[in-house]
Amino acid sequence: MSASGPANYEYVVARIRHRRAGLFGDDEYRKLLRMGTGEIARFMEDSTYKDAVDSLASRHRGMDLVEYALNEGLAAEFDALLSWSEGRLYDQLAKYLRKFDAWNVKTVFRGLYSHADTDAVRADLVDAGEFDAAFLDELLSADSVETVVDALSGTIFDTYLEPAFADYEDEDSLVPLENAVDRAYYENLNPSQPATAAQDSPEALYAEFLTAEIDFRNARNALRLARSGVSVDPAAYFIEGGTLFEASEMTTLVERQSDLVSRIQDSTYGDELSTALTALEESDSLIGFEHALDRALLSYSDHLSYVYPTSVCPVLAYVLAKEREVDNIRAIARGREAGMSEDEIQAELVML
């Protein structure tokens, strides 16, 4: 592991190619849909999650074992990715994996807001970002949202959370804080590329990948606001770094969903999202569209990986695919635990 010297894209891409082939597919998900949580844990023991399941089985059972094993397996996988990476690739990947710091901060906020049991909150944390276990324990031990905000002083979230906390107190809603966390993460990824960068340069490819993710996040936020009917400033929910539209356009596009849909249809992502946009116009629910956004981002990342096979793109695409696998397995286990039907659970899954 080294943050200096040349990037070793070829070596890391060769290693993840095998890992990517081992991800769960539709056949595995269909099998899991027919299992209880204990059976799901045993099924995971015959996969890449074996070490995590084995190490946790003496302390946890059923749903708890599945939750902890998924998160421990995910963290171990990304620790391995970082250990293989060198130079610019290490820097790019380390910044990208801060998404789990953002996830953990939002999870702690939600736990405090809903007065959830600390162990339940801990089960949802993923130790795959820059925050170490000691700092995550500090956040978990906080007795208030304000204490967490104070603890995050000096991190990338600091300056974003300070104004958002005032809105949280005024509105008694976590939305301003969660949005501030997302904006801090994405805007600190520095997706803009130097004007002199070649189209297939490491800087340009990293920028293209992140720009797409930011565009998809802005589209999701805009459509949520358009459907919510709440009285908020849409520009406050805009994440800098995308190309789909500007912050100054958010208010108009949120107020007129048809214009927003047309903008997406006419964009670079129009083909990827055409089916999803049609479903959105015909449905009162955003769930299907949001799942389609996730599928489209996975598909777009795979496209970049195919066009630029020796670059950061296959590495980040693998991170997305692995994250999606964990989300799918968790959704199945939670659905089975809650007594949902197979069709109901399958509607919660994101598959290509």
Side-chain angles (χ1 to χ4, degrees):
M1 177 178 66
S2 174
S4 61
N8 57 337
Y9 295 113
E10 290 186 6
Y11 173 74
V12 176
V13 169
R15 296 203 66 164
I16 64 171
R17 200 170 284 133
H18 174 71
R19 303 279 182 127
R20 185 72 189 260
L23 292 178
F24 284 20
D26 291 357
D27 288 342
E28 284 80 11
Y29 293 134
R30 278 191 284 270
K31 292 176 183 176
L32 292 173
L33 282 168
R34 298 190 292 270
M35 298 180 185
T37 52
E39 293 173 298
I40 291 173
R42 287 192 291 275
F43 188 85
M44 290 169 59
E45 201 170 10
D46 293 327
S47 71
T48 56
Y49 299 96
K50 175 178 172 54
D51 289 345
V53 173
D54 287 348
S55 68
L56 294 162
S58 62
R59 287 171 286 157
H60 302 285
R61 292 286 186 275
M63 189 65 219
D64 284 346
L65 178 56
V66 172
E67 293 271 17
Y68 280 110
L70 284 173
N71 290 341
E72 185 168 304
L74 191 68
E77 190 75 0
F78 295 154
D79 282 346
L81 269 181
L82 282 171
S83 73
W84 303 334
S85 303
E86 296 180 353
R88 182 185 288 109
L89 175 58
Y90 178 88
D91 290 335
Q92 293 170 330
L93 183 58
K95 281 186 177 181
Y96 189 72
L97 291 177
R98 285 176 180 166
K99 66 161 49 181
F100 295 103
D101 292 332
W103 165 265
N104 290 334
V105 169
K106 290 188 289 185
T107 298
V108 171
F109 280 152
R110 292 166 188 163
L112 287 166
Y113 188 76
S114 63
H115 306 290
D117 179 76
T118 301
D119 287 340
V121 178
R122 187 188 303 274
D124 278 342
L125 299 185
V126 181
D127 187 9
E130 291 185 342
F131 293 165
D132 60 24
F135 187 67
L136 291 178
D137 284 340
E138 180 183 345
L139 296 183
L140 275 171
S141 66
D143 58 1
S144 69
V145 169
E146 184 175 12
T147 304
V148 175
V149 173
D150 290 342
L152 291 166
S153 176
T155 70
I156 63 169
F157 306 105
D158 186 2
T159 56
Y160 291 81
L161 285 173
E162 185 176 347
F165 181 72
D167 293 336
Y168 157 75
E169 289 191 306
D170 290 341
E171 301 173 17
D172 188 29
S173 168
L174 286 179
V175 173
L177 289 173
E178 292 184 342
N179 180 65
V181 170
D182 285 339
R183 287 177 53 235
Y185 165 66
Y186 282 109
E187 291 177 11
N188 275 277
L189 283 173
N190 300 320
S192 59
Q193 66 188 73
T196 56
Q199 183 180 3
D200 60 350
S201 70
E203 296 88 352
L205 295 176
Y206 185 62
E208 183 171 356
F209 189 100
L210 299 179
T211 296
E213 189 162 341
I214 291 171
D215 278 335
F216 279 41
R217 176 66 62 175
N218 278 330
R220 184 193 306 266
N221 288 346
L223 286 163
R224 281 180 176 175
L225 291 172
R227 286 292 180 92
S228 70
V230 297
S231 179
V232 297
D233 177 13
Y237 291 80
F238 183 79
I239 299 170
E240 297 290 346
T243 59
L244 190 56
F245 44 81
E246 302 292 332
S248 59
E249 301 175 280
M250 278 284 281
T251 299
T252 301
L253 293 174
V254 166
E255 289 175 350
R256 298 181 60 180
Q257 183 177 309
S258 60
D259 288 353
L260 176 58
V261 170
S262 295
R263 174 63 64 86
I264 298 171
Q265 285 173 330
D266 294 338
S267 73
T268 306
Y269 317 110
D271 290 341
E272 295 283 357
L273 296 176
S274 58
T275 301
L277 289 168
T278 300
L280 176 71
E281 292 179 308
E282 296 173 352
S283 171
D284 291 329
S285 173
L286 273 176
I287 295 176
F289 179 76
E290 293 190 357
H291 286 340
L293 273 180
D294 290 333
R295 283 192 295 272
L297 183 58
L298 286 168
S299 178
Y300 190 76
S301 69
D302 285 341
H303 165 73
L304 290 178
S305 300
Y306 176 77
V307 176
Y308 307 107
T310 308
S311 72
V312 70
C313 293
V315 182
L316 299 187
Y318 175 69
V319 172
L320 282 179
K322 184 65 179 179
E323 187 182 357
R324 191 59 48 209
E325 176 187 75
V326 167
D327 288 345
N328 282 339
I329 298 171
R330 180 183 290 113
I332 293 171
R334 287 181 174 176
R336 296 296 293 169
E337 184 86 346
M340 295 169 61
S341 71
E342 290 184 18
D343 287 343
E344 288 173 325
I345 298 172
Q346 191 159 340
E348 297 294 321
L349 306 185
V350 175
M351 297 184 288
L352 292 177

